[in-house]
Amino acid sequence: MELSLDKVAIIYNPEIEGAQALSKSIRCSFESSRVHTLDNMPDDATFVIVIGGDGTLLKCARKYCESDVPLFGFNMGRLGFLAQALPNETQRVISKIKAGDFRIEKRTMLKCPTTGAVALNDMVIRGAAYSRTSTLNLYINNIKLCSYLADGLIISTPTGSTAYALSAGGPIISPNLECFVVVPICPHTLNARPIVVPTGEHIKITTVEAPKDFQMTADGQDARIVKNEVCVEKHSKYSKLLLLNNEGGHFYDILREKLHWGIAPNK
């Protein structure tokens, strides 16, 4: 895929030490680039370089999925599943980007038709009484599947399957698959299990408990109150992540390196 470097936006998280300095350093490598914070992300960028952690990249993904702008992340946070490069790799990374030695992956996103909220990782739905469990009814294509007595439900994309959904007992899903996973949070029953559904399915969550309000959070950042019911479906847009070729950035490489997947215990 051809990448336009006409308007490169370098967006950094000002709460992370060293992020601003790295942003200014990268800016010198592109003729047409500007440095921005998360609070003033531009609308006219053709390519976005994100400086921060995965949370910074998630916020940028929600912003730029609408305009199909590719993102590349430098990880200055902790785990770094989405941000591919480290600060000390700047010059090599920029050389590969300018040489076109990369690929762009499309990542499925979620959307809540009721509120317009979108998410790359997940949407978390809890009852209005946040401090206690709730009975949450799950419908797939308006067919009632089950009722969960739980602290909440996570609806995750494959990209988000290594985030909150994993911590709650959900499966790890390759980002190349077109599906969602619904994972209960601390269910009060032994027969409540995560379920994987195709992205074409319409998901609805209701409750019989008063008040019939929900707290819905997109990517752990965009929190909203939703009344009566929550509907979640596949977003028509994708997030586009730029990945360098031959850099160990494949999903299975990341599993092994970040989660120490499949490493035998020391003897």
Side-chain angles (χ1 to χ4, degrees):
M1 178 179 177
E2 186 176 345
L3 179 70
S4 173
L5 301 179
D6 292 341
K7 295 182 179 179
V8 179
I10 304 166
I11 300 174
Y12 72 94
N13 186 340
E15 296 181 1
I16 296 181
E17 184 179 356
Q20 183 178 17
L22 180 59
S23 300
K24 292 180 178 179
S25 173
I26 293 174
R27 181 184 180 184
C28 299
S29 300
F30 294 96
E31 294 181 2
S32 179
S33 64
R34 297 177 62 185
V35 174
H36 306 266
T37 67
L38 287 170
D39 295 326
N40 67 344
M41 293 186 287
D43 295 326
D44 60 349
T46 59
F47 175 49
V48 173
I49 296 176
V50 182
I51 313 295
D54 281 352
T56 308
L57 200 146
L58 286 170
K59 188 169 184 178
C60 291
R62 295 197 303 276
K63 163 78 173 177
Y64 290 106
C65 70
E66 303 294 341
S67 50
D68 294 324
V69 177
L71 311 176
F72 181 85
F74 280 89
N75 181 35
M76 300 187 74
R78 294 187 297 273
L79 199 57
F81 257 94
L82 300 174
Q84 185 181 0
L86 297 174
N88 60 6
E89 302 173 307
T90 301
Q91 292 306 314
R92 182 177 57 80
V93 166
I94 292 173
S95 296
K96 297 196 73 167
I97 291 175
K98 288 184 174 181
D101 192 9
F102 60 79
R103 66 191 184 278
I104 294 178
E105 285 190 0
K106 293 167 57 177
R107 297 294 181 90
T108 301
M109 299 190 71
L110 294 162
K111 184 171 185 177
C112 174
T114 309
T115 65
V118 299
L120 172 56
N121 262 4
D122 52 42
M123 290 188 177
V124 178
I125 294 96
R126 301 176 186 269
Y130 188 87
S131 60
R132 64 181 178 85
T133 59
S134 301
T135 301
L136 303 173
N137 301 316
L138 175 63
Y139 292 80
I140 306 294
N141 295 335
N142 289 319
I143 300 174
K144 186 176 181 180
L145 178 62
C146 59
S147 294
Y148 292 105
L149 178 61
D151 289 355
L153 290 178
I154 304 167
I155 302 173
S156 171
T157 66
T159 299
S161 69
T162 54
Y164 193 8
L166 178 63
S167 300
I172 295 177
I173 301 174
S174 169
N176 295 322
L177 295 177
E178 288 277 344
C179 63
F180 300 133
V181 58
V182 183
V183 185
I185 305 171
C186 300
H188 285 223
T189 177
L190 294 177
N191 61 2
R193 294 290 183 266
I195 181 170
V196 178
V197 299
T199 54
E201 310 286 52
H202 181 270
I203 299 171
K204 181 174 70 176
I205 299 167
T206 68
T207 183
V208 296
E209 300 174 358
K212 294 183 179 181
D213 295 346
F214 299 92
Q215 297 176 342
M216 189 197 73
T217 307
D219 287 337
Q221 298 171 338
D222 181 7
R224 310 187 186 200
I225 298 296
V226 184
K227 295 184 178 295
N228 298 321
E229 66 182 33
V230 179
C231 295
V232 178
E233 59 189 28
K234 178 185 176 182
H235 191 12
S236 60
K237 295 290 187 176
Y238 291 84
S239 180
K240 295 185 176 179
L241 303 184
L242 186 149
L243 302 176
L244 303 178
N245 292 329
N246 302 318
E247 291 288 322
H250 194 281
F251 177 69
Y252 303 122
D253 291 319
I254 295 173
L255 280 184
R256 185 183 65 254
E257 294 171 6
K258 301 292 185 178
L259 293 182
H260 305 292
W261 185 265
I263 296 178
N266 293 328
K267 293 182 179 180

